[in-house]
Amino acid sequence: MRTLLLFIATSMAAGLAAEAAAEPPKLEPFARVRPLSREAQSLLLEGAARSATIRRMLARIEASDVIVYVDTQVTPRRIVSAWTRYVSSSPISRMLRVHVDPTYSRHVQLALLGHELRHVMEIVEAPHIRSAEDMLRHYRTHGVETGYNRYDTPEAVEAGYIVSDELRQSRGSLRVADLRERDRRALAGGSIGG
């Protein structure tokens, strides 16, 4: 009987350890910005370390009612290089999902993160946005249409370029003019919508 109990306890502990190892660690101190993978966590940590703009946006999001899930998985149908989607809301919070295409250079991924976090800030600053329909309605009047039900804002495009400049200054990275054509197009946006 003791052997059986010891076996069960050991099996349960091993299973819990494997499950804990599979979960990405929490991004402290940003409880409202939640990475969905280790890669997303790494992107957020690097962005916060290298960009004052990203740090300011993360701090502002932290003080809001918005929870943001950040994803960097490769998606089979890539229309835009990064996007922000409305997930759901409750009486006390609104949930968004930000996706950044990981096939771009790290410099561009970080600039795209800054671009998308600016969209999150726009939603933070618009408390009337409580659904995906509200978000589309908002961007139809406050954004620029970039495709069917896809919108962008000059502020988000500018945020991406500002982050790109901060990255260049922090580590002597590439200038925007030196980026590949694909990377330059990625920074142009078109990331809100359906």
Side-chain angles (χ1 to χ4, degrees):
M1 182 68 163
R2 280 187 176 164
T3 306
L4 179 61
L5 289 175
L6 182 61
F7 174 76
I8 292 171
T10 304
S11 297
M12 287 176 62
L16 290 174
E19 184 178 319
E23 292 181 40
K26 300 285 184 242
L27 179 64
E28 296 298 338
F30 302 112
R32 291 195 161 271
V33 180
R34 302 174 182 180
L36 292 177
S37 66
R38 291 189 190 281
E39 179 58 32
Q41 180 188 29
S42 172
L43 185 70
L44 285 162
L45 288 171
E46 186 176 346
R50 295 182 58 200
S51 166
T53 300
I54 287 177
R55 277 193 305 278
R56 279 192 302 275
M57 289 190 285
L58 290 172
R60 177 65 181 95
I61 294 164
E62 192 60 28
S64 77
D65 69 333
V66 171
I67 296 170
V68 183
Y69 295 93
V70 179
D71 185 18
T72 56
Q73 299 300 310
V74 175
T75 57
R77 194 185 113 202
R78 288 180 288 189
I79 296 173
V80 292
S81 49
W83 45 258
T84 299
R85 299 284 188 272
Y86 202 95
V87 176
S88 68
S89 64
S90 74
I92 60 169
S93 65
R94 298 177 287 164
M95 288 167 260
L96 305 174
R97 183 171 181 169
V98 164
H99 181 270
V100 176
D101 187 335
T103 64
Y104 287 93
S105 69
R106 189 59 158 203
H107 180 105
V108 172
Q109 287 179 53
L110 289 164
L112 290 169
L113 177 64
H115 178 117
E116 296 309 318
L117 289 176
R118 177 58 196 151
H119 286 312
V120 172
M121 294 296 302
E122 294 162 357
I123 293 165
V124 164
E125 294 164 358
H128 66 276
I129 298 176
R130 306 290 303 167
S131 68
E133 294 79 19
D134 290 344
M135 187 176 83
L136 282 174
R137 214 175 358 265
H138 175 83
Y139 280 102
R140 284 185 186 122
T141 60
H142 294 87
V144 176
E145 190 169 13
T146 59
Y148 178 73
N149 275 344
R150 286 197 318 262
Y151 298 88
D152 209 342
T153 63
E155 295 82 5
V157 172
E158 181 67 17
Y161 285 126
I162 289 169
V163 169
S164 181
D165 288 343
E166 290 171 343
L167 298 173
R168 184 179 47 79
Q169 293 168 5
S170 76
R171 197 183 280 173
S173 297
L174 298 172
R175 295 177 318 153
V176 171
D178 296 332
L179 295 174
R180 296 175 297 161
E181 178 61 27
R182 175 178 181 257
D183 292 343
R184 279 196 299 278
R185 281 194 316 267
L187 291 176
S191 55
I192 289 289

